[in-house]
Amino acid sequence: MLGTAFRLLTGGEGWGAAVPLAAAPLGRGGAALIHIDGGVSLPWTILLVLTVLTLLPAILLAMTPFVRILIVFHFLRQAIGTETTPSNQTLVGLALILTYFVMAPVCAQIQKAAVVPLEQGSITPWQAVERGAVPVKDFMLHYARESDLALFVNLAHLPRPKTPADLPMRVVAPAYLLSELKTGFQIGAVLFLPFLVIDMVVASVTTSIGMLQLPPVVISTPLKILLFVSVNGWGLVMGSLMKSFY
């Protein structure tokens, strides 16, 4: 994604590609301004690249399934009762891998529609950005709830569009993020139910036999881990998550 973002903004093959320069008039104080073919000065290009790299984590959170997957994993860890296992780094890494798995077809569409024509020189960098945004927007519209889209259309004071594709990105992106938050919490609530039943049964048994000195969580946590492992819990959770995107 970093290489794609750089190519979209610079129009080059990568970090090592030679950038065609053109002569430019002197600026104030006699400083020469270097321009790239197409009229964009080199300092502005560097600024745009650094800005994209800075905003890339936020873009990853807002426009990919990363939010839903990570929320489900955190709910699952709390439901089992293991507060620090798996660690946050493990869950984030797993969420990134699954996000790449889901977004691979979208990245392929961006490569075909924007990156390849840009490398061939048939379109400008800004046209490549516009073309590359279309597959991402279509992906978000597919999973954004209609009620959330309507909410942000009203907040933006926009007229009712003829089709969802007519909505601007500033409406689609927050609506998609809100929909992903709702879906993640719904899946997390469903995951809590079987483990909650185990906690209730263990608490009832320990209370009825007078084991008040031993916290029920000490007994229920190994039982929940045993149940989760015996039914191949990680495979079921990941399989269900991936099926929710297809």
Side-chain angles (χ1 to χ4, degrees), residues 6 18 32 68 78 116 121 124 134 151 178 195 199 211 216 234 243:
F6 182 82
R68 181 195 302 191
Q78 286 187 332
V116 173
T124 64
V134 173
L151 171 64
L178 182 58
F195 301 106
D199 286 332
M211 296 179 59
W234 284 112
K243 289 178 182 178

PDB file of all heavy atoms in Angstrom, residues 6 18 32 68 78 116 121 124 134 151 178 195 199 211 216 234 243:
ATOM      1  N   PHE A   6       2.732   5.999  -3.019  1.00  0.00           N
ATOM      2  CA  PHE A   6       3.813   6.818  -3.556  1.00  0.00           C
ATOM      3  C   PHE A   6       3.701   6.955  -5.071  1.00  0.00           C
ATOM      4  O   PHE A   6       3.887   8.028  -5.629  1.00  0.00           O
ATOM      5  CB  PHE A   6       5.159   6.213  -3.171  1.00  0.00           C
ATOM      6  CG  PHE A   6       6.340   7.026  -3.640  1.00  0.00           C
ATOM      7  CD1 PHE A   6       6.766   8.115  -2.910  1.00  0.00           C
ATOM      8  CD2 PHE A   6       7.002   6.707  -4.814  1.00  0.00           C
ATOM      9  CE1 PHE A   6       7.850   8.871  -3.339  1.00  0.00           C
ATOM     10  CE2 PHE A   6       8.073   7.459  -5.245  1.00  0.00           C
ATOM     11  CZ  PHE A   6       8.498   8.544  -4.505  1.00  0.00           C
ATOM     12  N   ALA A  18      13.615   7.373 -11.524  1.00  0.00           N
ATOM     13  CA  ALA A  18      14.036   8.728 -11.839  1.00  0.00           C
ATOM     14  C   ALA A  18      12.825   9.574 -12.144  1.00  0.00           C
ATOM     15  O   ALA A  18      11.968   9.190 -12.934  1.00  0.00           O
ATOM     16  CB  ALA A  18      14.993   8.703 -13.043  1.00  0.00           C
ATOM     17  N   ALA A  32      15.890  28.319  -6.775  1.00  0.00           N
ATOM     18  CA  ALA A  32      15.241  27.664  -7.906  1.00  0.00           C
ATOM     19  C   ALA A  32      14.182  26.708  -7.408  1.00  0.00           C
ATOM     20  O   ALA A  32      14.385  25.996  -6.436  1.00  0.00           O
ATOM     21  CB  ALA A  32      16.277  26.906  -8.731  1.00  0.00           C
ATOM     22  N   ARG A  68     -13.931  -3.785  12.370  1.00  0.00           N
ATOM     23  CA  ARG A  68     -14.835  -4.874  12.751  1.00  0.00           C
ATOM     24  C   ARG A  68     -14.063  -6.073  13.293  1.00  0.00           C
ATOM     25  O   ARG A  68     -14.422  -6.637  14.333  1.00  0.00           O
ATOM     26  CB  ARG A  68     -15.677  -5.301  11.548  1.00  0.00           C
ATOM     27  CG  ARG A  68     -16.668  -6.414  11.876  1.00  0.00           C
ATOM     28  CD  ARG A  68     -17.239  -7.090  10.636  1.00  0.00           C
ATOM     29  NE  ARG A  68     -17.912  -6.159   9.745  1.00  0.00           N
ATOM     30  CZ  ARG A  68     -18.658  -6.542   8.718  1.00  0.00           C
ATOM     31  NH1 ARG A  68     -18.812  -7.844   8.459  1.00  0.00           N
ATOM     32  NH2 ARG A  68     -19.218  -5.651   7.922  1.00  0.00           N
ATOM     33  N   GLN A  78     -12.222 -10.849  26.001  1.00  0.00           N
ATOM     34  CA  GLN A  78     -12.909 -10.534  27.255  1.00  0.00           C
ATOM     35  C   GLN A  78     -13.898 -11.625  27.632  1.00  0.00           C
ATOM     36  O   GLN A  78     -14.069 -11.940  28.813  1.00  0.00           O
ATOM     37  CB  GLN A  78     -13.633  -9.194  27.139  1.00  0.00           C
ATOM     38  CG  GLN A  78     -12.703  -7.988  27.181  1.00  0.00           C
ATOM     39  CD  GLN A  78     -13.466  -6.688  27.229  1.00  0.00           C
ATOM     40  OE1 GLN A  78     -14.595  -6.602  26.742  1.00  0.00           O
ATOM     41  NE2 GLN A  78     -12.862  -5.660  27.796  1.00  0.00           N
ATOM     42  N   VAL A 116      -1.658   0.888 -13.003  1.00  0.00           N
ATOM     43  CA  VAL A 116      -1.101   0.499 -14.312  1.00  0.00           C
ATOM     44  C   VAL A 116      -1.204   1.631 -15.329  1.00  0.00           C
ATOM     45  O   VAL A 116      -0.204   1.963 -15.990  1.00  0.00           O
ATOM     46  CB  VAL A 116      -1.800  -0.779 -14.822  1.00  0.00           C
ATOM     47  CG1 VAL A 116      -1.359  -1.087 -16.259  1.00  0.00           C
ATOM     48  CG2 VAL A 116      -1.494  -1.961 -13.916  1.00  0.00           C
ATOM     49  N   GLY A 121       1.766   6.203 -18.121  1.00  0.00           N
ATOM     50  CA  GLY A 121       1.747   7.613 -18.470  1.00  0.00           C
ATOM     51  C   GLY A 121       0.490   8.070 -19.179  1.00  0.00           C
ATOM     52  O   GLY A 121       0.459   9.173 -19.729  1.00  0.00           O
ATOM     53  N   THR A 124      -2.912  11.238 -15.315  1.00  0.00           N
ATOM     54  CA  THR A 124      -2.151  12.032 -14.356  1.00  0.00           C
ATOM     55  C   THR A 124      -2.285  11.419 -12.963  1.00  0.00           C
ATOM     56  O   THR A 124      -3.184  10.592 -12.722  1.00  0.00           O
ATOM     57  CB  THR A 124      -2.669  13.473 -14.327  1.00  0.00           C
ATOM     58  OG1 THR A 124      -4.026  13.473 -13.851  1.00  0.00           O
ATOM     59  CG2 THR A 124      -2.613  14.094 -15.717  1.00  0.00           C
ATOM     60  N   VAL A 134     -12.585   4.744  -6.537  1.00  0.00           N
ATOM     61  CA  VAL A 134     -13.874   4.135  -6.920  1.00  0.00           C
ATOM     62  C   VAL A 134     -14.036   2.726  -6.340  1.00  0.00           C
ATOM     63  O   VAL A 134     -15.073   2.425  -5.733  1.00  0.00           O
ATOM     64  CB  VAL A 134     -14.027   4.131  -8.455  1.00  0.00           C
ATOM     65  CG1 VAL A 134     -15.280   3.357  -8.865  1.00  0.00           C
ATOM     66  CG2 VAL A 134     -14.104   5.554  -8.970  1.00  0.00           C
ATOM     67  N   LEU A 151     -28.135   9.251   7.682  1.00  0.00           N
ATOM     68  CA  LEU A 151     -27.754  10.124   8.792  1.00  0.00           C
ATOM     69  C   LEU A 151     -26.725  11.154   8.360  1.00  0.00           C
ATOM     70  O   LEU A 151     -26.887  12.360   8.618  1.00  0.00           O
ATOM     71  CB  LEU A 151     -27.203   9.276   9.942  1.00  0.00           C
ATOM     72  CG  LEU A 151     -26.555  10.049  11.099  1.00  0.00           C
ATOM     73  CD1 LEU A 151     -27.571  10.924  11.802  1.00  0.00           C
ATOM     74  CD2 LEU A 151     -25.900   9.081  12.085  1.00  0.00           C
ATOM     75  N   LEU A 178     -19.260   3.802  10.953  1.00  0.00           N
ATOM     76  CA  LEU A 178     -20.320   3.610  11.949  1.00  0.00           C
ATOM     77  C   LEU A 178     -20.993   2.251  11.790  1.00  0.00           C
ATOM     78  O   LEU A 178     -21.294   1.568  12.779  1.00  0.00           O
ATOM     79  CB  LEU A 178     -21.354   4.740  11.818  1.00  0.00           C
ATOM     80  CG  LEU A 178     -22.523   4.733  12.803  1.00  0.00           C
ATOM     81  CD1 LEU A 178     -22.019   4.791  14.239  1.00  0.00           C
ATOM     82  CD2 LEU A 178     -23.456   5.902  12.523  1.00  0.00           C
ATOM     83  N   PHE A 195     -20.196 -18.109  26.652  1.00  0.00           N
ATOM     84  CA  PHE A 195     -19.288 -17.972  27.791  1.00  0.00           C
ATOM     85  C   PHE A 195     -20.011 -17.406  29.012  1.00  0.00           C
ATOM     86  O   PHE A 195     -19.680 -17.742  30.152  1.00  0.00           O
ATOM     87  CB  PHE A 195     -18.103 -17.086  27.421  1.00  0.00           C
ATOM     88  CG  PHE A 195     -17.301 -17.606  26.262  1.00  0.00           C
ATOM     89  CD1 PHE A 195     -17.368 -17.011  25.014  1.00  0.00           C
ATOM     90  CD2 PHE A 195     -16.478 -18.712  26.419  1.00  0.00           C
ATOM     91  CE1 PHE A 195     -16.626 -17.498  23.955  1.00  0.00           C
ATOM     92  CE2 PHE A 195     -15.730 -19.211  25.365  1.00  0.00           C
ATOM     93  CZ  PHE A 195     -15.812 -18.606  24.126  1.00  0.00           C
ATOM     94  N   ASP A 199     -20.263 -18.984  32.858  1.00  0.00           N
ATOM     95  CA  ASP A 199     -20.035 -18.197  34.082  1.00  0.00           C
ATOM     96  C   ASP A 199     -21.212 -18.316  35.044  1.00  0.00           C
ATOM     97  O   ASP A 199     -21.030 -18.458  36.269  1.00  0.00           O
ATOM     98  CB  ASP A 199     -19.799 -16.729  33.719  1.00  0.00           C
ATOM     99  CG  ASP A 199     -18.435 -16.497  33.105  1.00  0.00           C
ATOM    100  OD1 ASP A 199     -17.509 -17.272  33.412  1.00  0.00           O
ATOM    101  OD2 ASP A 199     -18.296 -15.538  32.315  1.00  0.00           O
ATOM    102  N   MET A 211     -18.931 -22.806  48.225  1.00  0.00           N
ATOM    103  CA  MET A 211     -17.547 -22.445  47.914  1.00  0.00           C
ATOM    104  C   MET A 211     -17.452 -20.930  47.715  1.00  0.00           C
ATOM    105  O   MET A 211     -17.161 -20.425  46.629  1.00  0.00           O
ATOM    106  CB  MET A 211     -17.061 -23.190  46.664  1.00  0.00           C
ATOM    107  CG  MET A 211     -17.002 -24.694  46.825  1.00  0.00           C
ATOM    108  SD  MET A 211     -16.458 -25.532  45.314  1.00  0.00           S
ATOM    109  CE  MET A 211     -14.857 -24.794  45.045  1.00  0.00           C
ATOM    110  N   PRO A 216     -15.634 -17.623  41.429  1.00  0.00           N
ATOM    111  CA  PRO A 216     -16.111 -18.475  40.315  1.00  0.00           C
ATOM    112  C   PRO A 216     -15.259 -18.346  39.060  1.00  0.00           C
ATOM    113  O   PRO A 216     -15.153 -19.300  38.288  1.00  0.00           O
ATOM    114  CB  PRO A 216     -17.538 -17.981  40.076  1.00  0.00           C
ATOM    115  CG  PRO A 216     -17.942 -17.344  41.372  1.00  0.00           C
ATOM    116  CD  PRO A 216     -16.698 -16.750  41.941  1.00  0.00           C
ATOM    117  N   TRP A 234     -11.057 -20.632  17.263  1.00  0.00           N
ATOM    118  CA  TRP A 234     -10.431 -19.636  16.395  1.00  0.00           C
ATOM    119  C   TRP A 234     -10.821 -19.845  14.943  1.00  0.00           C
ATOM    120  O   TRP A 234     -11.077 -18.873  14.208  1.00  0.00           O
ATOM    121  CB  TRP A 234      -8.909 -19.694  16.544  1.00  0.00           C
ATOM    122  CG  TRP A 234      -8.404 -19.067  17.805  1.00  0.00           C
ATOM    123  CD1 TRP A 234      -7.831 -19.699  18.870  1.00  0.00           C
ATOM    124  CD2 TRP A 234      -8.445 -17.680  18.136  1.00  0.00           C
ATOM    125  NE1 TRP A 234      -7.519 -18.784  19.852  1.00  0.00           N
ATOM    126  CE2 TRP A 234      -7.873 -17.543  19.429  1.00  0.00           C
ATOM    127  CE3 TRP A 234      -8.895 -16.542  17.482  1.00  0.00           C
ATOM    128  CZ2 TRP A 234      -7.747 -16.314  20.062  1.00  0.00           C
ATOM    129  CZ3 TRP A 234      -8.779 -15.307  18.103  1.00  0.00           C
ATOM    130  CH2 TRP A 234      -8.210 -15.196  19.371  1.00  0.00           C
ATOM    131  N   LYS A 243     -16.743 -14.895   6.215  1.00  0.00           N
ATOM    132  CA  LYS A 243     -18.000 -15.089   5.486  1.00  0.00           C
ATOM    133  C   LYS A 243     -18.904 -13.865   5.563  1.00  0.00           C
ATOM    134  O   LYS A 243     -19.741 -13.665   4.685  1.00  0.00           O
ATOM    135  CB  LYS A 243     -18.731 -16.321   6.046  1.00  0.00           C
ATOM    136  CG  LYS A 243     -18.056 -17.641   5.699  1.00  0.00           C
ATOM    137  CD  LYS A 243     -18.800 -18.817   6.324  1.00  0.00           C
ATOM    138  CE  LYS A 243     -18.105 -20.116   6.013  1.00  0.00           C
ATOM    139  NZ  LYS A 243     -18.780 -21.286   6.653  1.00  0.00           N
TER     140      LYS A 243
END
